[in-house]
Structure formats: C-alpha cells, structure tokens
Amino acid sequence: MSLLEFDGVDKYYGETHVLKDIDLDIEAQEVCVVIGPSGSGKSTLLRCANRLEEIQNGEIRLDGQSLSAPNADINYLRQQVGMVFQSFNLFPHKTALENITLAPTKVRGVKKKQAQQRAHDLLADVGLDAQADSYPNQLSGGQQQRVAIARALAMDPKVMLFDEVTSALDPELVGEVLGVMRDLAEGGMTMMVVTHEMDFAREVGDRIILMADGHIVEDAPPEKFFNDPDSERAKTFLSKML
C-alpha cells in the first residue's frame, strides 16, 4: 500500500476544471517533486492532499485512510500531513519557540516542557536554536521559512508538503531552506515538493511529476525526466527552464 494515494481526483473551481482525473501513488520515504507552468494545478494538488481544498470526484487516501470521505477525521488526518507554504504564516506576536510549540500543546495535548524540548531539537536541526526567543520580524525570510518547517515537523507528520517554499525568498537565502529539505529527504521523510528549483528536483527527487492543464503529463525518475523525457510537453518545458 502506498502512503499517499490520489485515485481519479477531480477538482473544480466553479466551471474551471483544475485537476483532471489525477492518479498518483506516493510511497513511504519517497520525494516526489511536482513541477510545471503556472496554473497547471500543482499547488491545488498539494492543498487537496490535506483538504485545504475539497475535491469533487475521486478519493485521496493517507496510509489507507480516506482523506476525502465525508466522515473523515480531518483534524487527525491533517496532523499527519505537514504543509509549508510560500508565505511563512508565522504568528508575529509569538517567538520562534512559541510558534513551534503552539500546535503540539493545543491540538495534541503535549506537556509544555516536552513540547519546548522538542521545539529546541527541531530548531537545532534547522540551525536556529540560538534564535528560539526571536520574533518573526527579527528573523530573515530564510530563517522564518526554516521555523515554519520546524513548526510543521513538530506534529510528527507522516508526509510533508512544500508549496514553492523558496519562491518568496531572496536568492541568497534559498540555499539554506533547500538544505533543510535535503536533510529531511536524507532522513527518510516522505515529501511532495512543488518547486521551480530544477537543481533541487534533479538532485533530491526520487521522481519528477510534470503537470500541465490539470493533467500529469510526465512521471519519471530524475535521470529519465531531465535527459530523455517521453512527452513533447516535457521537452518544451525543459527547454525553457534549463
């Protein structure tokens, strides 16, 4: 059984068909990199994976449990699917440490001291334990994004979703965030990553998904995708990106 499964998924915004009959299985510890032009459905695919968006047809399953069923325990399932966005979405009035401990203590009932220790460990993992007591406005964009990653990890998710997490950063800050994501991949975290960073896709991804017009038009390992793609759409996309 795959860890995350999309089975015949359709998503509409009004009459606009955004995701069209998506079939996609992601294995445990796999890094699936999703690329494609703007408006292809990449971010919507991620947002459907933790029901930030509702699908109209098909089913999404996490570890065999339906995410899309009307009676699904959404709060529980969302705890299993961590998501990091392009914008950092940190609480500005809380320190880095407080941002990370909020959900474990409020949602999971973790003891404050235990949550704080876990937060310090996560901040150390992303190279920011010295900034534990800093507020978001005292941190660079790259530092804020690393705190956001640590905050998502604090819930011990089974899958991590990254939605263009470096696109709002100054170029010199991109590397520090991608470095944290590389470490997560090497540690065996199951990941879906929407990105325009082709070097990251090539080096870290186990497979590359190219989306266009709501469809998956190419699904291949990085070496195959970048050196010998099957579809003309992939060849055209790569000619513009590389």
Side-chain angles (χ1 to χ4, degrees), residues 29 45 72 74 130 149 195 209 218:
Q29 300 188 330
L45 184 69
I74 298 306
I149 293 172
T195 186
I209 302 293
E218 192 94 17

PDB file of all heavy atoms in Angstrom, residues 29 45 72 74 130 149 195 209 218:
ATOM      1  N   GLN A  29       8.789   7.370   2.345  1.00  0.00           N
ATOM      2  CA  GLN A  29      10.173   7.832   2.211  1.00  0.00           C
ATOM      3  C   GLN A  29      10.514   8.312   0.798  1.00  0.00           C
ATOM      4  O   GLN A  29      11.666   8.598   0.500  1.00  0.00           O
ATOM      5  CB  GLN A  29      11.174   6.757   2.655  1.00  0.00           C
ATOM      6  CG  GLN A  29      10.996   6.335   4.104  1.00  0.00           C
ATOM      7  CD  GLN A  29      12.094   5.426   4.598  1.00  0.00           C
ATOM      8  OE1 GLN A  29      12.684   4.671   3.841  1.00  0.00           O
ATOM      9  NE2 GLN A  29      12.381   5.507   5.893  1.00  0.00           N
ATOM     10  N   LEU A  45      -3.073  20.568  -6.157  1.00  0.00           N
ATOM     11  CA  LEU A  45      -2.854  19.159  -5.831  1.00  0.00           C
ATOM     12  C   LEU A  45      -2.401  19.005  -4.386  1.00  0.00           C
ATOM     13  O   LEU A  45      -2.916  18.156  -3.643  1.00  0.00           O
ATOM     14  CB  LEU A  45      -1.808  18.575  -6.778  1.00  0.00           C
ATOM     15  CG  LEU A  45      -1.522  17.080  -6.626  1.00  0.00           C
ATOM     16  CD1 LEU A  45      -2.705  16.251  -7.073  1.00  0.00           C
ATOM     17  CD2 LEU A  45      -0.276  16.697  -7.419  1.00  0.00           C
ATOM     18  N   ALA A  72     -14.479  11.603   7.383  1.00  0.00           N
ATOM     19  CA  ALA A  72     -13.067  11.521   7.757  1.00  0.00           C
ATOM     20  C   ALA A  72     -12.771  12.456   8.925  1.00  0.00           C
ATOM     21  O   ALA A  72     -13.320  13.554   9.022  1.00  0.00           O
ATOM     22  CB  ALA A  72     -12.193  11.892   6.555  1.00  0.00           C
ATOM     23  N   ILE A  74     -10.852  14.947   9.960  1.00  0.00           N
ATOM     24  CA  ILE A  74      -9.946  15.868   9.275  1.00  0.00           C
ATOM     25  C   ILE A  74      -8.861  16.400  10.207  1.00  0.00           C
ATOM     26  O   ILE A  74      -7.693  16.518   9.824  1.00  0.00           O
ATOM     27  CB  ILE A  74     -10.734  17.041   8.656  1.00  0.00           C
ATOM     28  CG1 ILE A  74     -11.713  16.509   7.612  1.00  0.00           C
ATOM     29  CG2 ILE A  74      -9.787  18.043   8.011  1.00  0.00           C
ATOM     30  CD1 ILE A  74     -11.082  15.650   6.559  1.00  0.00           C
ATOM     31  N   ALA A 130      19.659  29.110  18.400  1.00  0.00           N
ATOM     32  CA  ALA A 130      20.068  30.375  19.017  1.00  0.00           C
ATOM     33  C   ALA A 130      19.016  31.464  18.847  1.00  0.00           C
ATOM     34  O   ALA A 130      19.019  32.462  19.583  1.00  0.00           O
ATOM     35  CB  ALA A 130      21.402  30.841  18.437  1.00  0.00           C
ATOM     36  N   ILE A 149       9.128  25.299   8.752  1.00  0.00           N
ATOM     37  CA  ILE A 149       9.360  23.867   8.537  1.00  0.00           C
ATOM     38  C   ILE A 149       9.418  23.141   9.887  1.00  0.00           C
ATOM     39  O   ILE A 149       8.808  22.075  10.064  1.00  0.00           O
ATOM     40  CB  ILE A 149      10.656  23.648   7.730  1.00  0.00           C
ATOM     41  CG1 ILE A 149      10.489  24.191   6.302  1.00  0.00           C
ATOM     42  CG2 ILE A 149      11.033  22.169   7.701  1.00  0.00           C
ATOM     43  CD1 ILE A 149      11.775  24.205   5.488  1.00  0.00           C
ATOM     44  N   THR A 195       8.064  23.032  -6.786  1.00  0.00           N
ATOM     45  CA  THR A 195       9.199  23.943  -6.828  1.00  0.00           C
ATOM     46  C   THR A 195       9.563  24.268  -8.274  1.00  0.00           C
ATOM     47  O   THR A 195       9.223  23.541  -9.207  1.00  0.00           O
ATOM     48  CB  THR A 195      10.419  23.326  -6.116  1.00  0.00           C
ATOM     49  OG1 THR A 195      11.472  24.289  -6.058  1.00  0.00           O
ATOM     50  CG2 THR A 195      10.913  22.079  -6.832  1.00  0.00           C
ATOM     51  N   ILE A 209       7.198  14.758 -11.280  1.00  0.00           N
ATOM     52  CA  ILE A 209       5.868  14.835 -11.874  1.00  0.00           C
ATOM     53  C   ILE A 209       5.760  16.170 -12.602  1.00  0.00           C
ATOM     54  O   ILE A 209       5.955  17.225 -11.995  1.00  0.00           O
ATOM     55  CB  ILE A 209       4.771  14.766 -10.793  1.00  0.00           C
ATOM     56  CG1 ILE A 209       4.870  13.487  -9.974  1.00  0.00           C
ATOM     57  CG2 ILE A 209       3.385  14.914 -11.425  1.00  0.00           C
ATOM     58  CD1 ILE A 209       4.575  12.233 -10.718  1.00  0.00           C
ATOM     59  N   GLU A 218       3.893  13.811 -17.342  1.00  0.00           N
ATOM     60  CA  GLU A 218       5.147  13.046 -17.281  1.00  0.00           C
ATOM     61  C   GLU A 218       5.367  12.628 -15.832  1.00  0.00           C
ATOM     62  O   GLU A 218       5.118  13.396 -14.899  1.00  0.00           O
ATOM     63  CB  GLU A 218       6.330  13.892 -17.764  1.00  0.00           C
ATOM     64  CG  GLU A 218       7.594  13.110 -18.014  1.00  0.00           C
ATOM     65  CD  GLU A 218       7.769  12.666 -19.461  1.00  0.00           C
ATOM     66  OE1 GLU A 218       7.083  13.213 -20.347  1.00  0.00           O
ATOM     67  OE2 GLU A 218       8.606  11.778 -19.706  1.00  0.00           O
TER      68      GLU A 218
END
